[in-house]
Amino acid sequence: MDDKRKYHIIIGSKAFFDDNLPDFSEEDYVSNFLELVKLSDASKNSRHPFEDFAEKLIIKNNNYHGIVEAAHDRLGPLIEDLTTDYADIYVHNPPRILKEYLEDQYKRSIIELDISCEKYGIERDTTLFAENIKNISSNIFGQQQAINEASKSLWYLTTVKREKPYVIMLYGNSSLGKTELVKEVAKNFFDGKSLEKHLSMFKNNNYSDYFFGDAPNRRSLGFDLLERESNLIFFDELDKCPEHFFSAFYTLFDNTMFKDSTYDVDVSGIVIFLTSNYQTEEEMKKQLGLPIFYRIDKMIHFNDFDHSTIYEIVKNEIDARKDEYKDKLTSDMVYAAVSPFISTAGENARTIKYKVQQVIEELLFQEVVEQIIK
């Protein structure tokens, strides 16, 4: 029997890790890393020797969060303490310290090692490109110019091989379709998958650990990038993100390898969409600073809705909600009731949805009021 441990590093999403595990037989006893750590700790506390050495061990990426921070410095030896000399060990997205340890062990012929990496990409079938853009246009109202500009970038990314990340900023007032455009791009070019982060949630220094990975037993941006399911990254509301987190974006926007204090991540070929409520590029330069501004490849402005777009969105919102009221109201009744409250300018998707909601509630409630009066 070969007395070398066999490590199988699998880098990618949870689904990719699961798909790359072998079909274990009923005779195989497959151990879980955290369960073994607990058994080992219990043995030490009771002063009994540890005897549950694993022949097949699975280490999932979230297992690294289940051990104390100090244990991360000796992850490699810890695994050895828990396994037989000939064990098969399946490691999901290892932290840098573990990956380097295993690579060194492999170079010294102490272990066997293979590495599988998930492959990401954009839909490159050029015959589908026009159809995909039409699909996007049919679901985004009043932003054809923005869609045209995004289409140029998508065609470029479809037809060339680009290693460096490509960064697109969508800017303009809120609720004009920026987020919807990113979701449509994901649906039509990235199999409906993206890594999405709402930067307005990162309000203070407590989130530094997330961006820079200072604590190895906590979730970080590097951890999430390793676990991503596609090469589409969406950072919403960059204008709400504190400036002291920007240095993490410098690294991400400018390199094919993203490094925080815990993880190394291959980000070659990623497409990053940013959104903000900035009104002009000059405002962007001032608020973001030139180091971030000049790392953005494409700026796409979203225009305020004109009266025809507002009308189109109102009609669409009413029709989309027909199942809610069709037994008691008609679309024409709802439109007649809501139209006096809709302005010909200054409306956005959020204000329109709110007004339609209020009118539907009011119309439905009138029936109850009449019964109460009777």
Side-chain angles (χ1 to χ4, degrees):
M1 180 180 291
D2 192 340
D3 61 356
K4 288 184 180 180
R5 290 182 176 84
K6 303 176 186 66
Y7 287 86
H8 312 275
I9 293 178
I10 303 171
I11 297 175
S13 63
K14 292 178 181 177
F16 182 75
F17 178 72
D18 291 339
D19 289 344
N20 278 269
L21 291 175
D23 293 326
F24 297 110
S25 67
E26 293 183 1
E27 290 76 25
D28 290 325
Y29 183 76
V30 183
S31 302
N32 174 276
F33 178 65
L34 283 185
E35 290 176 359
L36 281 190
V37 170
K38 292 176 182 177
L39 287 173
S40 176
D41 289 344
S43 295
K44 290 176 183 177
N45 292 334
S46 63
R47 297 185 179 181
H48 290 125
F50 177 73
E51 298 178 344
D52 296 304
F53 300 103
E55 295 184 7
K56 297 185 185 300
L57 179 64
I58 292 178
I59 308 176
K60 296 186 176 182
N61 61 338
N62 58 7
N63 289 169
Y64 311 123
H65 301 160
I67 59 177
V68 296
E69 185 172 339
H72 281 259
D73 291 336
R74 58 177 306 274
L75 268 173
L78 176 59
I79 294 169
E80 292 163 6
D81 291 343
L82 302 174
T83 57
T84 63
D85 292 341
Y86 51 88
D88 273 298
I89 303 154
Y90 300 87
V91 185
H92 187 201
N93 296 347
R96 179 188 303 110
I97 193 168
L98 175 58
K99 189 168 183 286
E100 290 179 348
Y101 177 85
L102 296 180
E103 289 171 340
D104 177 68
Q105 294 272 294
Y106 176 69
K107 289 176 183 177
R108 294 161 57 194
S109 300
I110 297 173
I111 64 169
E112 294 183 16
L113 175 66
D114 58 73
I115 302 176
S116 302
C117 299
E118 187 165 4
K119 304 299 182 184
Y120 304 100
I122 188 171
E123 173 57 66
R124 290 187 178 274
D125 188 342
T126 56
T127 63
L128 296 176
F129 184 84
E131 180 182 347
N132 289 337
I133 296 301
K134 287 178 182 177
N135 290 338
I136 293 174
S137 297
S138 66
N139 291 306
I140 304 292
F141 295 99
Q143 301 295 347
Q144 195 55 50
Q145 182 179 352
I147 293 171
N148 290 343
E149 290 302 314
S151 300
K152 296 175 187 176
S153 296
L154 291 168
W155 180 250
Y156 165 76
L157 294 166
T158 298
T159 54
V160 305
K161 181 173 176 57
R162 178 186 170 104
E163 294 296 323
K164 185 180 175 182
Y166 189 91
V167 185
I168 302 173
M169 168 67 83
L170 309 180
Y171 69 102
N173 283 321
S174 63
S175 300
L176 296 178
K178 298 187 291 292
T179 298
E180 287 74 14
L181 176 60
V182 180
K183 291 181 178 179
E184 287 296 321
V185 169
K187 185 190 303 182
N188 288 279
F189 288 91
F190 292 90
D191 198 28
K193 298 172 181 176
S194 66
L195 172 61
E196 181 175 337
K197 292 295 173 183
H198 299 274
L199 299 179
S200 58
M201 298 176 62
F202 299 92
K203 289 290 188 183
N204 54 52
N205 288 332
N206 293 333
Y207 291 99
S208 292
D209 284 354
Y210 177 79
F211 282 103
F212 305 111
D214 291 339
N217 60 342
R218 295 182 185 177
R219 200 176 192 99
S220 68
L221 178 57
F223 177 94
D224 283 342
L225 287 168
L226 277 171
E227 196 181 76
R228 71 191 188 277
E229 294 184 307
S230 87
N231 250 8
L232 179 61
I233 316 298
F234 176 29
F235 292 124
D236 192 25
E237 296 186 305
L238 182 64
D239 52 317
K240 307 296 194 304
C241 184
E243 186 176 346
H244 52 270
F245 295 142
F246 284 175
S247 60
F249 297 124
Y250 299 158
T251 305
L252 181 60
F253 293 177
D254 231 13
N255 299 280
T256 58
M257 187 66 67
F258 176 80
K259 298 174 181 282
D260 62 20
S261 65
T262 305
Y263 294 100
D264 295 337
V265 190
D266 182 357
V267 291
S268 55
I270 66 171
V271 180
I272 303 172
F273 273 91
L274 312 169
T275 66
S276 72
N277 291 339
Y278 296 126
Q279 298 299 302
T280 66
E281 291 188 18
E282 287 303 316
E283 181 186 5
M284 227 181 297
K285 287 180 183 178
K286 180 179 179 181
Q287 298 298 325
L288 294 179
L290 297 183
I292 283 285
F293 181 84
Y294 286 119
R295 284 173 168 82
I296 299 172
D297 296 281
K298 187 71 166 283
M299 311 284 183
I300 301 178
H301 183 254
F302 274 58
N303 298 315
D304 290 345
F305 294 145
D306 59 24
H307 65 90
S308 61
T309 300
I310 292 171
Y311 170 78
E312 188 178 5
I313 294 173
V314 171
K315 294 291 287 185
N316 183 76
E317 179 67 16
I318 292 171
D319 290 341
R321 304 181 65 164
K322 191 175 294 184
D323 286 345
E324 297 179 14
Y325 60 76
K326 64 182 180 181
D327 294 335
K328 298 181 181 298
L329 306 170
T330 67
S331 298
D332 290 341
M333 291 170 63
V334 177
Y335 180 76
V338 78
S339 57
F341 301 104
I342 302 293
S343 303
T344 57
E347 298 282 5
N348 60 46
R350 188 176 291 116
T351 61
I352 290 170
K353 286 182 178 181
Y354 176 80
K355 292 177 180 180
V356 170
Q357 172 73 30
Q358 300 309 304
V359 163
I360 291 174
E361 289 185 13
E362 181 65 29
L363 291 175
L364 293 174
F365 188 65
Q366 286 177 5
E367 180 182 355
V368 178
V369 171
E370 291 173 1
Q371 293 176 5
I372 294 172
I373 294 174
K374 289 179 182 180

